[in-house]
Amino acid sequence: MTDAHAASKFYITTPIYYVNARPHLGHAYTTIVCDAIARRKRMLGVDTWFLTGTDEHGQKIERSAAAAGLTPKKLVDQISPEYKTLWKRMEISYDDFIRTTDERHKRGVQEMFHLLKKNGYIYKGKYTGQYCVFDELYVDALGPGAPCPECGRPTETVSEENYYFKLSAFAEKLLKLYTENPGMIRPETRRNEVMAFLRSGLHDLSISRTSIKWGIPVPDDPKHVIYVWLDALCNYTTAVGFGSSEEKDKKQFAHYWPADVHMIGKEIVRFHCVYWPAVLLAAGLPLPKSLVAHGWLLFEQDKMSKSRGNIVRAETILDVLGNDALRYFLLREIVFGQDGSFSFDALVQRYNADLANDLGNLSSRTLTMIGRYFRGEVPYPSPTAARTPAEDSIGKLATKTIADFNTLFDDYQFSRAAEAAWNLISAVNKYLVEAEPWAVSEKEDESSRSRLATILYTAAEALRIVTALAHPIMPQATARIWAQLGLGDIRKLKLNELKWGQLQLGTKLGTIEPVFPRADKSAIERMKSMEEQHHGSGSSPSVPEQKAAIEPAGAGGQAVRQAVAGTAPAPGLVSATNSNAGDNNRIGIEDFSKIELRVGQVKTAEKVKGADKLLRLEVDIGTEIRQIVAGIAEAYSPENLIGRKVVIVANLAPRKLRGIESNGMIVAASLGEQGKPVLAGFLEDVPIGARLK
Ligand code: MSP
């Protein structure tokens, strides 16, 4: 047992997820990692608290709600439970789920604000500068439209009277802290980034907004709402009782705070490693013991995210291969800390090789043979005559595997930990092939019986050990194998006592049934088509869609074509709207629904140098500001476009025009020989972000 295991408590958190998007595999990844860690700690007998939840305030949510024609409250009440439902399906063993709209949280955030003010770290000032709504981040950038350094999206200028937090007072303190505690930020690369950021000096941070309403009011000055990141970060404390005057909450806070691990994705390192510790220092509260950042799950080479439109839903994998397959794949395949690609092919390949073949075979053949040759009772291995060096090697390897697995897992090297366990599985499968118990079983003499008992005991004991080690990774399948081994409820297992040779002789096996049926090729196709259908059905967007009928844009009976916006029309789009198309060219509604048409509002427009026809536009589509390069310069002057509502194809792959990335396409009719573009629009007022169906 390492020191970490001896600790009296262990408190682990996931980031709280924004509710402008339904959960996808990226969110599932972080949550699975934390769940596996929490389960293992509990198996080691450590008093464990695992927190997750949802981040529900701020401009991003306010805009998403407006785009969906909902109040923010209605939106967050719809999406937050979707996280809970998915976590339930995935058997995520969280102890608490916090929502930032919970009363307990609001009260705690206000208390934190109060405390920071009382301690002299808050003052009032005026902020004029850039803000990235997508990242909810103040940006030290040069001017209107400057790209956000985090996501590259154009920032917006805000000018408001705000409360400021004296972040600048903490650069030196944090540098000292991370120099003295180098292991506090993991991995090393992230620590280096944080150190460089701190060395460049810190500016004070604006921590209130007056231009938005959807947030927690500043105590005694309710026209301000508290900056969403300060609000969100406080969840780690408010969930365990901070800000409550009740005795039991105070006790809980004293017991669990500080957190042992804040698990985060690499894009939110600065908030967690700079802002949050500074806030805690200012409040006089203890700091988290470690901040652990993982890499991104990529799909088709890009970070999986709603805004890139390349998400994969966990539900599809759960439906086809099950929860354990997903968990195992993510922990085994992705090198923790680095970016890793997800693909259905790799998932099925891993599932078949490691689970159906390696573990599945070891389990089914060992248990079936014990059932057949020893009436379903764990046989007695021979202490002497029937032993060969092979049994000792397996025993030694198992002992080493336990030690290696523990070290690697505790060092966040989940992939290598699983690899170590699977090396043992391979060794035992090889041992069985060489020892040939099926052949030994055919001989009736006493020494053969004894030999058979030794072989099957060895295999069953190794199976018990890998099952125990893999339990935090695959809770359901391992619980079933454990029960088949006749060992009852796996949750009662004390992992710190796990040793070779503990399998009791004569243990009566449970009912034997296959745990990982082989997946055939059709599994890949099934999952792919489930995802395609989902994306196509329009049910995947982040927020419930507002229905708006598609209107040919004032083209006086002319065929409406996609004249565009500099990018080539999307396949299917032209025929979808071209009234000249014959019946053969017609498409089904499922094809049409693949195209995401949205209402946007032009925020800025300018000519593209050296290109007579092109304008560079920034278009607000509710959830984000998009840069679009459009071939409409000859028909529209930039100043006439600002504030105009337009229709854009939102899910087109980005393309570069004259070196400028165009992220979408503006819909227009094309008139006359020259194809003069006339922008599509609406007679009635339509909210920004509304989807056309
Ligand atoms: N609400 C903030 C976090 C506040 S914490 C006080 C936020 N939310 S989020 O919904 O955008 O979720 C971010 C987290 O989800 C990432 O930090 C990461 O843990 C997880 N992931 C989302 N997409 C991911 C991938 N494509 N890959 C891996 N993890 C991903 O930021």
Side-chain angles (χ1 to χ4, degrees):
M1 215 163 81
T2 65
D3 280 354
H5 301 150
S8 60
K9 64 89 192 173
F10 180 77
Y11 176 27
I12 184 166
T13 65
T14 70
I16 46 171
Y17 304 110
Y18 284 132
V19 285
N20 68 321
R22 297 195 171 116
H24 60 68
L25 219 48
H27 306 116
Y29 176 59
T30 318
T31 315
I32 287 170
V33 168
C34 290
D35 184 65
I37 297 174
R39 282 177 182 273
R40 190 174 139 77
K41 287 286 177 193
R42 292 190 198 106
M43 287 173 82
L44 288 162
V46 179
D47 167 5
T48 300
W49 197 255
F50 169 21
L51 173 71
T52 189
T54 44
D55 188 354
E56 307 188 3
H57 289 129
Q59 192 161 4
K60 185 167 159 138
I61 307 292
E62 198 176 70
R63 282 199 183 163
S64 296
L70 297 172
T71 61
K73 174 82 176 104
K74 198 131 202 194
L75 172 73
V76 303
D77 284 349
Q78 267 179 26
I79 305 285
S80 179
E82 297 204 22
Y83 279 86
K84 271 195 170 169
T85 306
L86 179 62
W87 300 158
K88 184 155 190 240
R89 219 182 139 194
M90 287 170 52
E91 297 207 8
I92 298 296
S93 64
Y94 62 79
D95 295 289
D96 193 5
F97 186 103
I98 187 148
R99 298 181 55 182
T100 55
T101 48
D102 288 349
E103 276 314 315
R104 59 175 176 159
H105 176 73
K106 293 192 205 165
R107 181 183 63 203
V109 172
Q110 290 185 326
E111 173 60 21
M112 185 70 87
F113 195 96
H114 184 72
L115 196 56
L116 298 178
K117 202 161 170 212
K118 189 180 97 194
N119 292 352
Y121 289 103
I122 288 184
Y123 63 93
K124 227 175 188 178
K126 187 161 165 73
Y127 178 80
T128 299
Q130 299 310 114
Y131 190 78
C132 171
V133 177
F134 184 81
D135 288 315
E136 298 278 16
L137 175 70
Y138 291 96
V139 174
D140 295 327
L142 296 174
C148 167
E150 292 294 320
C151 67
R153 290 175 176 81
T155 52
E156 293 177 39
T157 307
V158 291
S159 181
E160 293 175 65
E161 188 189 54
N162 296 135
Y163 286 94
Y164 273 84
F165 170 60
K166 283 191 192 165
L167 183 64
S168 57
F170 294 95
E172 285 309 316
K173 289 191 182 101
L174 292 176
L175 271 171
K176 186 164 177 287
L177 173 77
Y178 295 138
T179 306
E180 286 168 4
N181 302 280
M184 208 171 145
I185 301 176
R186 299 186 55 139
E188 181 76 17
T189 44
R190 304 292 156 224
R191 175 179 171 270
N192 294 342
E193 273 170 30
V194 172
M195 295 301 269
F197 183 72
L198 289 170
R199 278 192 205 104
S200 69
L202 295 178
H203 298 298
D204 289 350
L205 181 69
S206 168
I207 51 161
S208 74
R209 308 282 314 266
T210 49
S211 57
I212 67 161
K213 298 269 162 296
W214 183 238
I216 301 175
V218 165
D220 307 323
D221 197 355
K223 74 175 192 298
H224 291 258
V225 297
I226 296 173
Y227 172 42
V228 63
W229 266 101
L230 175 59
D231 164 347
L233 288 161
C234 287
N235 90 86
Y236 303 131
T237 52
T238 60
V240 287
F242 176 79
S244 167
S245 49
E246 285 192 30
E247 225 26 66
K248 71 168 187 358
D249 296 334
K250 286 184 175 173
K251 267 202 186 137
Q252 191 195 27
F253 185 64
H255 181 61
Y256 283 118
W257 190 257
D260 294 81
V261 177
H262 285 323
M263 178 68 66
I264 54 177
K266 67 179 183 182
E267 77 291 351
I268 52 176
V269 162
R270 188 195 307 176
F271 298 101
H272 284 80
C273 302
V274 178
Y275 298 178
W276 181 227
V279 166
L280 291 167
L281 286 172
L285 292 171
L287 302 183
K289 298 210 181 112
S290 66
L291 299 140
V292 182
H294 62 70
W296 286 338
L297 213 56
L298 311 176
F299 189 58
E300 290 157 354
Q301 316 302 330
D302 216 345
K303 182 192 177 201
M304 192 181 288
S305 76
K306 158 73 191 140
S307 61
R308 288 175 174 85
N310 65 345
I311 59 160
V312 174
R313 296 166 320 125
E315 289 88 340
T316 295
I317 300 162
L318 301 182
D319 284 348
V320 176
L321 292 179
N323 189 20
D324 286 325
L326 171 62
R327 293 171 67 107
Y328 177 78
F329 177 79
L330 292 177
L331 289 166
R332 172 67 183 86
E333 190 84 5
I334 312 270
V335 176
F336 184 81
Q338 297 176 17
D339 291 351
S341 289
F342 174 83
S343 82
F344 289 111
D345 301 64
L347 169 68
V348 169
Q349 205 181 344
R350 255 269 168 241
Y351 171 85
N352 277 337
D354 293 12
L355 302 182
N357 261 4
D358 294 349
L359 178 56
N361 269 347
L362 172 62
S363 158
S364 71
R365 62 184 174 185
T366 304
L367 298 175
T368 310
M369 283 190 282
I370 294 179
R372 191 173 302 152
Y373 307 137
F374 294 96
R375 297 180 319 279
E377 282 178 17
V378 172
Y380 289 50
S382 158
T384 53
R387 275 188 98 75
T388 71
E391 284 78 51
D392 291 336
S393 321
I394 296 287
K396 277 193 193 124
L397 181 63
T399 304
K400 182 173 169 342
T401 303
I402 297 172
D404 290 351
F405 187 97
N406 290 348
T407 311
L408 293 165
F409 196 102
D410 290 344
D411 197 37
Y412 302 98
Q413 300 190 54
F414 309 113
S415 173
R416 290 189 58 204
E419 200 181 346
W422 259 254
N423 280 342
L424 176 60
I425 294 175
S426 301
V428 183
N429 276 330
K430 187 161 168 265
Y431 161 76
L432 284 175
V433 169
E434 283 164 5
E436 295 187 309
W438 38 89
V440 179
S441 76
E442 282 167 13
K443 300 182 198 144
E444 303 269 299
D445 61 292
E446 189 129 333
S447 88
S448 296
R449 239 354 242 168
S450 200
R451 176 83 194 120
L452 186 60
T454 303
I455 300 168
L456 292 181
Y457 179 90
T458 305
E461 176 56 348
L463 174 64
R464 184 186 73 91
I465 286 183
V466 291
T467 304
L469 292 176
H471 181 58
I473 301 177
M474 295 191 294
Q476 288 157 320
T478 49
R480 286 170 61 200
I481 298 176
W482 199 256
Q484 292 182 34
L485 272 165
L487 300 171
D489 184 351
I490 196 167
R491 286 170 305 179
K492 297 202 176 122
L493 167 71
K494 294 200 170 75
L495 200 52
N496 43 355
E497 291 170 8
L498 184 70
K499 278 211 298 277
W500 178 261
Q502 290 165 323
L503 181 59
Q504 295 291 313
L505 311 177
T507 304
K508 184 106 192 77
L509 300 189
T511 314
I512 300 159
E513 54 190 8
V515 181
F516 300 110
R518 227 189 134 68
D520 60 28
K521 273 232 156 84
S522 73
I524 301 176
E525 290 319 313
R526 266 210 326 278
M527 286 187 285
K528 284 185 180 166
S529 94
M530 280 163 84
E531 280 303 277
E532 268 162 28
Q533 270 174 23
H534 189 83
H535 289 297
S537 71
S539 53
S540 66
S542 55
V543 289
E545 243 61 54
Q546 165 126 343
K547 284 212 164 65
I550 208 163
E551 294 278 350
Q558 297 223 27
V560 179
R561 281 204 295 116
Q562 309 313 310
V564 164
T567 52
L573 189 56
V574 173
S575 53
T577 52
N578 184 351
S579 62
N580 293 333
D583 273 1
N584 290 345
N585 278 343
R586 294 206 180 187
I587 59 163
I589 188 72
E590 67 288 352
D591 279 332
F592 174 66
S593 61
K594 284 181 194 154
I595 299 153
E596 191 184 333
L597 293 170
R598 283 194 186 270
V599 176
Q601 186 173 43
V602 179
K603 291 285 177 197
T604 64
E606 63 183 19
K607 294 205 163 183
V608 173
K609 270 196 202 124
D612 294 345
K613 291 193 177 164
L614 297 183
L615 291 183
R616 186 187 80 84
L617 309 172
E618 282 167 15
V619 182
D620 182 354
I621 61 161
T623 44
E624 61 184 287
I625 308 274
R626 288 282 184 93
Q627 171 170 280
I628 298 178
V629 181
I632 55 174
E634 288 175 333
Y636 293 91
S637 61
E639 54 283 7
N640 286 341
L641 286 172
I642 296 186
R644 180 165 177 158
K645 292 207 173 139
V646 290
V647 175
I648 77 151
V649 184
N651 60 344
L652 260 192
R655 237 189 100 175
K656 277 205 170 155
L657 289 149
R658 302 272 170 158
I660 308 172
E661 185 168 285
S662 184
N663 248 304
M665 180 167 120
I666 296 200
V667 176
S670 174
L671 302 187
E673 292 276 284
Q674 308 295 321
K676 180 179 175 255
V678 176
L679 292 176
F682 296 92
L683 293 176
E684 285 86 17
D685 194 25
V686 183
I688 297 171
R691 184 160 181 187
L692 283 77
K693 290 183 173 179

